[in-house]
Amino acid sequence: LYGRGALDRQGTRARRFPGVRMARRVLWLLRLRATAAFHRARGRLVILDRHPAEGLVIGYRRSHLDAVRRRVLAAAGPAPGLAIILDAPADVLAERKAEHPLERLDDQRRAYLELAHRLPNAVIVDASADAEHVRRTVVALIWRYCAERWRVR
């Protein structure tokens, strides 16, 4: 309909058609959702290192329309069977990688914790410990989830 290049990564031609970028993102997320469901139905483990619900946390809402857009994208993504939220105090995060001010890190931390309470099957892991301990904790949570899921079958 729009011809080749209408949905390019930069969105230069897509900007001429309001809503095209949003529709493209929603379709991509629905495809991701279907792919995840396909593999889950076959008993496979599906791991996403990011989830669209994270858009409800990251960044600051510029408008009511932006908040609605983020909710639509979060709803279009696959429903997580297990959501693992890594939590660490802002000062620990700033010490590891100082790319944001402490106030912003603290705001994001509170938003992630709030998101964890809204997501079903969310587990908060203390990420202030050393990396190996955090990795072992996360792997154990994933295996526990798999054992419970596969036991039901």
Side-chain angles (χ1 to χ4, degrees):
L1 178 64
Y2 295 114
R4 186 178 167 105
L7 298 172
D8 64 347
R9 287 237 183 249
Q10 290 76 32
T12 52
R13 291 182 62 197
R15 279 190 218 126
R16 296 181 195 168
F17 304 101
V20 170
R21 289 171 100 192
M22 176 67 172
R24 184 175 174 205
R25 286 183 181 154
V26 168
L27 289 173
W28 183 84
L29 287 169
L30 291 174
R31 183 173 153 238
L32 177 65
R33 182 183 204 140
T35 302
F38 173 83
H39 289 289
R40 282 181 182 165
R42 279 153 186 74
R44 298 176 183 146
L45 177 63
V46 177
I47 297 177
L48 304 175
D49 69 336
R50 299 278 183 209
H51 190 273
E54 194 172 19
L56 300 172
V57 172
I58 294 177
Y60 297 102
R61 287 158 185 76
R62 292 179 286 273
S63 67
H64 177 69
L65 186 60
D66 185 50
V68 170
R69 180 184 67 84
R70 288 171 187 258
R71 278 192 222 109
V72 168
L73 292 174
L82 173 66
I84 299 173
I85 309 293
L86 301 178
D87 176 47
D91 55 335
V92 172
L93 296 175
E95 184 180 305
R96 290 180 182 172
K97 188 174 182 183
E99 64 183 63
H100 297 296
L102 276 175
E103 300 80 32
R104 182 170 182 198
L105 292 172
D106 201 43
D107 289 346
Q108 284 185 342
R109 179 184 186 206
R110 277 195 297 275
Y112 272 107
L113 292 174
E114 183 181 308
L115 177 65
H117 293 294
R118 290 191 324 222
L119 288 175
N121 303 322
V123 178
I124 300 168
V125 173
D126 179 16
S128 60
D130 67 287
E132 182 59 25
H133 176 74
V134 173
R135 185 193 65 78
R136 275 190 259 118
T137 303
V138 169
V139 169
L141 287 168
I142 292 170
W143 279 117
R144 187 177 319 135
Y145 166 76
C146 289
E148 290 171 6
R149 185 167 178 260
W150 293 328
R151 184 180 7 215
V152 172
R153 293 179 169 219

